[in-house]
Amino acid sequence: MATMVSNSLTKKSEPAVNSPTQVIGGHGIDSYSNNSSYQKLAANVVKKKIEDAIMMKLDVASFSSTSNIIRLADFGCGVGSNTITAMHDILEFVKKKYMSQCPASQMPEFQVIFNDQSTNDFNTLFTSLPQDKEYMVAGVPGSFHDQVLPKSSLHLAHCSYSLHWLSKLPKELQDKHSPAWNKGRIHYTSAPQEVLNAYATQFAEDLDNFLNARAQEIVSGGMMVIVGSSIPDGMSYSQVVNGLMYDCMGSILMDMVKTGSINEAELDAFNLPIYACPPGEFTEGVERNGLFTVEVIELMNPAPWLKGPIDIPVFVKHVRAAMEGMFSKHFSREDIDELFNQLVPRLSQISQQMKSCDRDGLQLFAILKRK
Amino acid sequence: MATMVSNSLTKKSEPAVNSPTQVIGGHGIDSYSNNSSYQKLAANVVKKKIEDAIMMKLDVASFSSTSNIIRLADFGCGVGSNTITAMHDILEFVKKKYMSQCPASQMPEFQVIFNDQSTNDFNTLFTSLPQDKEYMVAGVPGSFHDQVLPKSSLHLAHCSYSLHWLSKLPKELQDKHSPAWNKGRIHYTSAPQEVLNAYATQFAEDLDNFLNARAQEIVSGGMMVIVGSSIPDGMSYSQVVNGLMYDCMGSILMDMVKTGSINEAELDAFNLPIYACPPGEFTEGVERNGLFTVEVIELMNPAPWLKGPIDIPVFVKHVRAAMEGMFSKHFSREDIDELFNQLVPRLSQISQQMKSCDRDGLQLFAILKRK
C-alpha cells in the first residue's frame, strides 16, 4: 500500500472537527442526534481563531497594492460543504480586513482554489458551489506535496484534516530485518518506538515537502491555516480512542488470519497511513524547513462537550463510513464486513477504557506565515 | 429548454474536427474505420494554422517580461483527449516561440486552464491528464459567457466547437404571435427568415458576452483561437447535411405528434440551440464588440477527403451519441428510440441529396488578438 489515501476520506461523511471517534449516543446534551449543533460550535471555535489571525496578522492591503487579485486555496479540500463553508468564511474575514485597511478602495477580485488528489470528486464539489458566490473558482488536481500553483500567486492557504495522511508508508514496516517491522499490527499504536519513529520520519518528510511547495506558491507575508489530528507531546497513541480502536482492528484481523479467512502476507502488507503529529514535533518541522514562521500553534479540544457514553454500534458505523476505503484496497468485501461486525463487541468490552481516554487536546491549530 | 446545452456534447464521442455528420461507411479510403487517421490529418491542418499564428503574431517575450507565469485556457473544454492534446500542442508552440524570442532566458512557468459548465465531467478530465505533464493545471467551472478568470491573467485562449451552442433559445420561437414562431420545426433550417434572424440575434448576443468576458481576462496582446461550426456567407442551412438531418428529425417528431406518442405542445417547446455562424457575421460581431482585432478568419474544409457514400445506420448511431442528451431533456426514452429508428430510413430516402451537399468550408478558423 504505497499510494496516498484520499485526503477526503474522513470529510465525505464527517465534518473536519468531528473525527470518527467522537460520536456519542443517546438524545441528551452529549448525544449524536444533537451533534450537528455541537459540530457547529466546534467549527465556530476554529472560525473565531482564523478570524483573529486574519484581522491581527494578515496584511491584505500589501497584497492588493501589488495585485488586483487575492487568491485563497484549500489544500486537501475533499468534497461537500465543509470546504465551501470554510473558504467562504475565510474570504469574508479577508474582505473585512481589507475594508478596515483600505476603507476608500475598491474591493480586489477574489479567486478560491480547491486542491485535492486528481481522483477527488471535483464534479460534486463544483456542482455544490453556491450560484451567487462573489468569487471566482478553480479546482486544482494534484498532490499537495508538490507545487500545484504558480510561483508567488497565493495569499492564504487553508489545510484542514489532511496533513495526517502520509504520502506513502515507510518501507521498514514490511521489512522482516528491520526493528521497525510492524508484524501483527496495522498502525504505530502499541508498537515499538522504531515503528513510531518510522511513521514520524515519513510525516516529517511529507511536511517538509508540503512546506516547500507552499513556500513556492505563497507570497511573502502570506498566511497558512492548518487544522488537524494531533496529540499532546509525549502522550502515547494507545491513550486515545482512535489508538484503542486501531489496536482492536489489528487484533480482529490477526484472528481472521488464524481462521484462514485472511492471508498472513496480506495482513503484513497492510498498515494505516495515518500520523497524528504532536505540536512540538510540528513546530520543529516548520522551523527546520525555515520558510515559514509559526505565528500560532496550539492544541484544541475538537469538541469539549463530547463527553458521555459512546454508542458503540453508531460509532462503528461512522468509523466504517470514514475508513472503509482504506481497507477495501486490501481486503475483500466479506472480510471488511467481518472486521466491522466484530468491532462492535470488541469495543464494547473496552468501553470503560475508551471512556477514560483523554479526548481533549487532540486537534492542532496552527497559523504559519511565509517569510 | 432555456438552459445551455453542455459544450461537450459532441466532444465526448467525436473529435472536434469531425462533426457527427461526417461519418462515412465501408472500409475504403473514405470509411469510418479509417476515419481516425483522417481526423488526425484534419486536426493537423488546424494545428499548423495555430502554430503559424503563434509564431507570427504572439509576442510571448512581452508576457514573460511582466509575469513569470504564462496561462493558456480552453473554453468549453469538455472531456477526454481532444482538449488535452490541443492544449499540449498549443503549449509546445508557445514554448517554441519563447525560445526563439528569448533563447538565453529561463522558461517561464505555464498553467493550462480547462473551462466548461460546472456540470462537465472534470473528474474524467483530471484523471486523464498525463502524469509527466510540464504544466500546472486548473479546472474552472462556469459559463464562458461570464468572466471566470481574474482580470488580465490569461495569455492565450482556445475555444473549439463550443460557440455554436446558444446560451438560451430565443423566446420568439415559442411565441404564437411572433413571425419567428417556429411551429413544426426544431431548428432554423428551412424556416422563415425571422426564425433565422432570432437565432442569429441570440448568437450575436452570446458572442458579445463571450468577447467581453475574455477581454477582461486576456492581457493586451493576448491571443484567442476559435474553431467551430460555420457555413459560407449566404448559404442556406438546408444545403448542408446537418440541415437536412434536422429537417428529417423535425418531420419524424411531427409524425409522432399525429400518432399521439408526443404531445404537440411538448414538440412546440423544443428547438435545437445550435447556430452555425457564417464568417462575415462573425467578423461583424467581433468588430462591433471592438475589444479584439481579427487577425485571421477563414472557412476550412473540416475533412476534404470525407467524400463518398454515407453509411446511414453508422451515421445515425454517431448522431445519436452526440445529440441524445439534447433530446432526453424533453422526450422519453421510447420517443427517442423511435426518432432515431425512423431516422435511418428517412435519411436513406434522401441519401442522394445528402451526397450532393457541399461539405466543404463548414469549419470556421479565427485568430483574434486583444487590443
Side-chain angles (χ1 to χ4, degrees), chain A residues 79-186:
Chain A
V79 179
S81 62
N82 289 338
T83 182
I84 296 171
T85 306
M87 296 314 283
H88 171 268
D89 291 345
I90 289 174
L91 179 57
E92 289 304 310
F93 302 144
V94 171
K95 283 184 183 171
K96 186 176 160 188
K97 179 65 182 280
Y98 183 78
M99 283 187 285
S100 78
Q101 283 189 300
C102 315
S105 302
Q106 212 197 333
M107 197 63 86
E109 293 187 302
F110 295 99
Q111 189 178 37
V112 174
I113 296 159
F114 296 97
N115 158 263
D116 209 318
Q117 306 274 359
S118 57
T119 51
N120 184 53
D121 185 0
F122 283 95
N123 288 354
T124 299
L125 177 61
F126 286 168
T127 50
S128 307
L129 288 164
Q131 290 294 311
D132 58 346
K133 61 191 187 306
E134 290 175 341
Y135 51 86
M136 283 169 285
V137 166
V140 169
S143 164
F144 59 45
H145 295 110
D146 299 319
Q147 186 189 339
V148 291
L149 298 176
K151 278 183 188 142
S152 300
S153 67
L154 186 62
H155 302 90
L156 194 147
H158 177 255
C159 184
S160 176
Y161 281 86
S162 297
L163 280 175
H164 61 286
W165 295 110
L166 297 182
S167 68
K168 56 178 186 276
L169 283 162
K171 277 184 194 162
E172 312 89 281
L173 302 183
Q174 289 185 52
D175 177 0
K176 282 183 188 177
H177 308 294
S178 166
W181 186 33
N182 204 26
K183 180 78 177 167
R185 282 171 303 272
I186 59 167

Side-chain angles (χ1 to χ4, degrees), chain A residues 342-354:
Chain A
Q342 287 204 29
L343 196 56
V344 176
R346 295 277 186 126
L347 289 179
S348 301
Q349 283 166 20
I350 57 160
S351 65
Q352 281 307 314
Q353 204 182 336
M354 286 174 79

Side-chain angles (χ1 to χ4, degrees), chain A residues 45 63 98 176 200 225 249 269 273 294:
Chain A
V45 176
F63 302 152
Y98 183 78
K176 282 183 188 177
V225 179
M249 286 174 168
V294 179

